[in-house]
Amino acid sequence: MKKLMLELDGTDPSKLSMARLTDYLRELVELFGSQDDVHFDSITEGCVCLNTWVKDEKYPHVLNRVREAAQGIGPKRARKAYAQLSALMEQDRVDGVLQAADVSILQFPKAKTSPPPMVVIKQGSVQGRLYIVGGKDETIPVRLEGAGGETLLCEADTALAEQLGKLLFKQVRVHGKGEWESRPHGGWRLRKMFIQSYEKLEKSSLRSAVTQLKDLGGITWSEMDDPHGTIQNLRG
């Protein structure tokens, strides 16, 4: 058995709730893969160090999977888990390092010393694969999977949620009032959005998208603020 440790520098067990610990462990399982061959051992105090053991024959596979995910290649579930772990660390303002003995295997994007995020509330739109619509309160939780595998947290009233429920596992674009948070390394992340309207996205080829542009009066690239974005929108 080989030992792998995820060290979270910037927190300690008294600050990390059991629910949050579960979030980290869940994504770590997806990042490693080989679920029957990876075992949780303990938490080392000081910072928070999650200790795991990997069977010898699976160890090279796990290391390769982790490194590929950090480079944006390899299995989609591993890439999504890496992105989710990075997001958790960013939200908690901790620096994460994956280690084997005294060797650093992977350094996650640093977030411990980042300034507090700026939060703005404004109208906006996001799109992705709709995979959850459900709840029993007046405000219904809605979840989309973004292009990078990230989870987009949304809500809707019961009437709109009923309509969205018919589009489960389809690609949709939703519009509404969102709460956006600045990211330490640039850009913005959606915290939550209350959906006010939506549209189903139809997938089409690049050739079909260009044909639609021609039908709209020709392709005048120089007059477009974002020609690539326009094509992506037409393609869904």
Side-chain angles (χ1 to χ4, degrees):
M1 300 281 277
K2 297 286 195 304
K3 190 174 185 179
L4 280 176
M5 300 165 287
L6 177 63
E7 180 179 322
L8 302 176
D9 184 18
T11 187
D12 60 62
S14 67
K15 299 176 183 176
L16 194 68
S17 69
M18 185 178 292
R20 198 58 159 180
L21 174 62
T22 302
D23 291 338
Y24 279 102
L25 289 175
R26 181 177 59 249
E27 300 303 337
L28 200 58
V29 167
E30 291 293 344
L31 179 62
F32 287 168
S34 304
Q35 296 183 8
D36 293 335
D37 302 298
V38 178
H39 304 270
F40 177 68
D41 179 67
S42 61
I43 299 176
T44 303
E45 295 191 29
C47 53
V48 171
C49 191
L50 308 181
N51 303 307
T52 60
W53 295 96
V54 183
K55 290 184 179 179
D56 288 346
E57 62 271 20
K58 290 294 182 179
Y59 187 71
H61 171 76
V62 169
L63 289 189
N64 186 60
R65 180 181 169 97
V66 167
R67 286 168 173 152
E68 285 189 341
Q71 297 171 32
I73 59 178
K76 181 178 179 180
R77 293 178 70 176
R79 287 184 278 121
K80 179 180 179 181
Y82 173 81
Q84 293 290 83
L85 279 169
S86 299
L88 288 170
M89 295 172 194
E90 181 183 308
Q91 293 163 23
D92 293 341
R93 292 298 188 265
V94 300
D95 293 343
V97 182
L98 186 65
Q99 296 182 317
D102 294 327
V103 179
S104 176
I105 303 298
L106 173 65
Q107 170 73 62
F108 286 85
K110 290 182 175 292
K112 185 175 71 171
T113 58
S114 300
M118 179 185 298
V119 178
V120 298
I121 297 175
K122 66 171 187 174
Q123 294 292 128
S125 303
V126 293
Q127 65 186 55
R129 176 176 172 269
L130 178 65
Y131 70 93
I132 287 180
V133 179
K136 57 184 180 180
D137 296 327
E138 291 184 2
T139 301
I140 307 299
V142 177
R143 301 289 182 267
L144 278 67
E145 180 183 18
E150 71 277 16
T151 298
L152 302 172
L153 305 179
C154 303
E155 297 177 337
D157 61 30
T158 53
L160 198 59
E162 184 178 1
Q163 298 174 34
L164 285 168
K166 301 173 184 177
L167 298 176
L168 274 175
F169 312 120
K170 304 294 184 183
Q171 292 287 328
V172 298
R173 182 181 294 118
V174 297
H175 314 276
K177 182 175 289 187
E179 186 176 307
W180 304 82
E181 175 184 88
S182 61
R183 305 190 68 174
H185 306 285
W188 294 83
R189 181 183 69 87
L190 177 67
R191 280 184 169 183
K192 184 171 61 175
M193 174 181 286
F194 187 82
I195 302 173
Q196 296 166 327
S197 62
Y198 71 92
E199 59 203 59
K200 180 183 177 183
L201 298 179
E202 300 292 346
K203 288 191 175 181
S204 62
S205 66
L206 177 59
R207 177 178 296 179
S208 175
V210 172
T211 299
Q212 290 182 58
L213 283 172
K214 289 181 178 179
D215 291 341
L216 291 173
I219 305 176
T220 52
W221 303 114
S222 61
E223 297 177 9
M224 293 183 180
D225 294 330
D226 182 13
H228 295 290
T230 300
I231 288 179
Q232 288 296 328
N233 288 339
L234 287 171
R235 295 179 68 186

